[in-house]
Structure formats: C-alpha cells, structure tokens
Amino acid sequence: MRDDPTLTFRNGHRVTFVANGTDEQGPYLRLEHILLRPERLAGPHWHPVLGERWTVRRGRVRYRIDGVEIVASAGDTVDAPAGSVHEFWNEAPDTVIDHEIRPPLRHWEMFRLWHNLDRAGKTTRARVPRDPLALALLWDYQDGYLAGVPAWLQRSVLGSLARVARGCGYQRRWLENGPDLP
C-alpha cells in the first residue's frame, strides 16, 4: 500500500504520483488530482520556499491567490509562487488537475500522511485530523503556514506538537509503516 502511486481519500479524491526529478528549473514533483465533487480543497495558506502550479484538464477550480480570485477551466494554468497566500475550491464534478510543486520538499509525504489518517477515519468530514498531534505532524509535512496566524506562533505551538507526535511514534505509525487498513 505504501508504494501505491494513487491515494484515494474517503470522499473519492484521488491523488496520483506522476513524476519527480530535476530539470532546468530545478527539482519538481508532479501529481494528478481527480476530484469527484465540488468542495473546498485547501484553506488559506502559504509556503515560504515552494511554489505550486495547477493545470486544469477537466472541470473548473476557483483559486484565491494573494486576494485575487481566478476561475480556471480546462486548459488554464494557475501559479502560486512561494510566499503567496492561496486557497482553492473545486467547482465542478469530475475535475482533473495536474499539480506541480517546486521544490517538492515533503509534499508527497504530506499527501501520504493525510491519506493514511483519512482512510483510518482519523479526520473530520473536512479531512482535518481530529488528533492535535496528527494535525501538527501534517502541518509540519506541508512545509507551509496557515494564513492569518503568525508564523512564529505556528512554529512554536504546532512545531512543538509535531516534535511530540514524532516522539510518540506518529510518523512511524501513520507515514513510514502506514495503518492497517481494510
């Protein structure tokens, strides 16, 4: 299961590992998302180092990047450079998105951790981990910050909780070994 290139969340959202490597622009990770129904995909957040690019292959996605709303349809590409506050919603059923992350840092591991927690029933309907330690570990793997909360406070509180989570074996249980799922 850990080596499966496709992660399927309980709501049907599928994330497929497509490629990773390095090209003339540096290291990258490419994923494909298949979204079955309209819903919020990510609340406002930002990454100090990594940038993201999405190309909608089918459907429609609404992005807000640094306060500017963009509605992207099939063939449109949207960029969120490092440091930009961004959030997005899927607005059409059966949407397909190509997602590129540069540099990838731990983004694939973040999706794997989130998937494992979700499949084990450890997340809310909005896919937020119920356990504060699991939430903090997920925050640590996303290599970014929630918008509207000072970064120093997130590093202090969530960073400390993520260290406790690793000390309690959450990383081994939920990421390295994966849960025992049906």
Side-chain angles (χ1 to χ4, degrees), residues 30-147:
R30 292 189 181 120
L31 306 173
E32 175 192 71
H33 295 265
I34 298 176
L35 308 157
L36 300 182
R37 61 180 150 274
E39 63 186 331
R40 175 182 281 279
L41 299 172
H45 66 285
W46 60 279
H47 307 281
V49 175
L50 68 86
E52 296 181 86
R53 169 177 282 178
W54 304 270
T55 299
V56 178
R57 288 193 356 232
R58 182 173 66 223
R60 188 176 58 253
V61 181
R62 180 177 302 273
Y63 297 87
R64 184 175 297 129
I65 300 172
D66 283 339
V68 176
E69 286 212 10
I70 302 163
V71 177
S73 298
D76 294 338
T77 297
V78 176
D79 288 297
S84 64
V85 174
H86 55 284
E87 60 184 313
F88 39 101
W89 308 260
N90 174 35
E91 292 195 332
D94 299 318
T95 293
V96 179
I97 305 168
D98 292 330
H99 183 193
E100 184 175 87
I101 302 105
R102 287 180 182 267
L105 302 178
R106 298 178 299 172
H107 237 64
W108 177 244
E109 292 82 359
M110 182 267 307
F111 277 112
R112 286 182 44 235
L113 172 61
W114 196 3
H115 166 261
N116 290 345
L117 290 164
D118 181 71
R119 294 291 295 174
K122 303 296 183 183
T123 60
T124 66
R125 185 178 158 127
R127 294 186 316 245
V128 175
R130 289 186 178 97
D131 181 331
L133 294 178
L135 176 64
L137 190 59
L138 185 64
W139 169 85
D140 189 48
Y141 271 86
Q142 68 116 13
D143 296 305
Y145 296 94
L146 306 170

